[in-house]
Amino acid sequence: MTVDDSPVPQIGEDGIAAVLDRAKQLGFEGWSGACGKAAIAINRVVFGGEGKIVGAFNEAFLSRGRMIGHVAVLVDGSYWDADGYPKDLDDIDSWGMLDPDDRDHVEEAERLGFAWDDHAAYGVRMVEFGDEAELIRHFMDDNLEEQVEILRQALRDHSAEAVPSAP
């Protein structure tokens, strides 16, 4: 794991939101399959590697080797993802709950050989990833380091704005 050498910036919740807003302007990705790499980047850059990377996944699909849900960083009891605002367990857990009427899920369940119903749709399992490598094996494409650098640039931009100019 590569973690920024600088101390974790003490920018607070508003600062984290501002950094992630700036990162999105710079092209940071954190949704539609990119939440895993976003969580790694956020943990490295914003939290200095001190967080735990966790996922909330639909249990029915997870038990068949498919991770459908959401990944975030757990720090001091709050979950953080690309939107930059702290969430509680219920917020993250809900990402593993799927629409029982979604045709894509119905078809995937049929392909995997199980019944897609309310019980299957709403069951969620939380998973804590032991290290980045475990998460990378399951999710990653090739631009993780690019996303980390975008987040670092957003943090630098935020820090530059926060420092008052000399008279």
Side-chain angles (χ1 to χ4, degrees), residues 68-88:
I68 300 175
H70 193 54
V71 180
V73 182
L74 175 61
V75 176
D76 295 332
S78 293
Y79 296 83
W80 296 86
D81 62 16
D83 80 356
Y85 297 96
K87 295 169 183 57
D88 62 22

Side-chain angles (χ1 to χ4, degrees), residues 1 18 26 28 30 32 34-35 49 76 79 83-84 93 110 112 128 130 142 148 157 161:
M1 170 173 64
L26 296 172
F28 187 74
S32 300
C35 58
D76 295 332
Y79 296 83
D83 80 356
D93 199 52
E110 286 174 3
L112 293 172
E128 183 178 319
D142 58 356
V148 169
D157 293 352
E161 291 172 6

Side-chain angles (χ1 to χ4, degrees), residues 116-150:
W116 186 247
D117 55 18
D118 288 356
H119 179 73
Y122 298 135
V124 176
R125 184 186 327 160
M126 294 296 294
V127 175
E128 183 178 319
F129 292 92
D131 60 25
E132 289 181 2
E134 183 181 358
L135 183 60
I136 289 168
R137 281 192 304 275
H138 291 287
F139 279 94
M140 294 301 133
D141 59 20
D142 58 356
N143 73 340
L144 172 62
E145 294 308 321
E146 176 185 333
Q147 295 301 298
V148 169
E149 186 50 42
I150 288 171

